[in-house]
Amino acid sequence: MSIDARLAELGITLPEPPNPVANYVGYVITGNLVHVSGQISADENGPIKGKLGADMTVEQGAEAARRCAISLLAQAKKACGGDLGRVTRLVKLVGFVNSTPDFVDQPKVINGASDLMVAVLGDAGRHARAAVSAPSLPLGVAVEIDAIFEIA
């Protein structure tokens, strides 16, 4: 099944990738790797803000991470000239969780992105990963995640 078909089956429509808000680009292609800049948690209503361990549950954080994954796929699609079929695997995710000093469930939060990538990419979505805490993130968002994809 194609990646676009899996997305449709999951009821996911990729948004237009957001433009960078500072002096960087949305992605860089080097060799057969696409490095996608950090994508913040946002949905059709704007940024998903909050701090895990204070005003957000792990489940809400995982949904915020899932939204980051959707944005990562949108950037990857743009990098591939609109053809996600060029993605051969997800190499790595690095997830940052806006959380209190005593919050320890960052991996559970970033699973929201990891689970979506496996659902969309199958075995090619299994990846190396880091899930770390941050005392704050841009715009007060709950999660920011960057990614490295391998492409054909």
Side-chain angles (χ1 to χ4, degrees):
M1 181 181 293
S2 75
I3 295 172
D4 287 328
R6 284 190 200 127
L7 287 167
E9 186 178 86
L10 294 168
I12 297 171
T13 302
L14 297 181
E16 187 64 32
N19 291 319
V21 296
N23 190 15
Y24 65 94
V25 294
Y27 60 86
V28 170
I29 300 173
T30 182
N32 64 340
L33 297 177
V34 177
H35 294 258
V36 179
S37 294
Q39 301 296 297
I40 62 172
S41 52
D43 60 19
E44 56 280 347
N45 298 314
I48 299 170
K49 298 180 179 185
K51 187 174 283 289
L52 278 292
D55 57 5
M56 288 188 85
T57 66
V58 169
E59 293 77 19
Q60 290 170 318
E63 177 57 26
R66 181 180 182 277
R67 298 304 301 209
C68 291
I70 291 169
S71 292
L72 289 165
L73 288 166
Q75 288 285 2
K77 184 173 184 173
K78 183 176 181 180
C80 291
D83 180 11
L84 273 175
R86 291 184 56 201
V87 172
T88 57
R89 88 167 292 121
L90 173 60
V91 178
K92 187 171 185 180
L93 290 180
V94 177
F96 300 91
V97 180
N98 185 354
S99 57
T100 60
D102 60 337
F103 184 78
V104 296
D105 286 328
Q106 292 84 358
K108 291 179 182 176
V109 170
I110 302 304
N111 277 347
S114 294
D115 293 347
L116 178 70
M117 292 299 192
V118 172
V120 172
L121 302 173
D123 281 339
R126 299 192 184 286
H127 53 275
R129 185 181 91 175
V132 297
S133 183
S136 69
L137 289 172
L139 306 176
V141 296
V143 180
E144 180 174 351
I145 304 176
D146 66 26
I148 302 170
F149 293 90
E150 181 181 53
I151 58 172

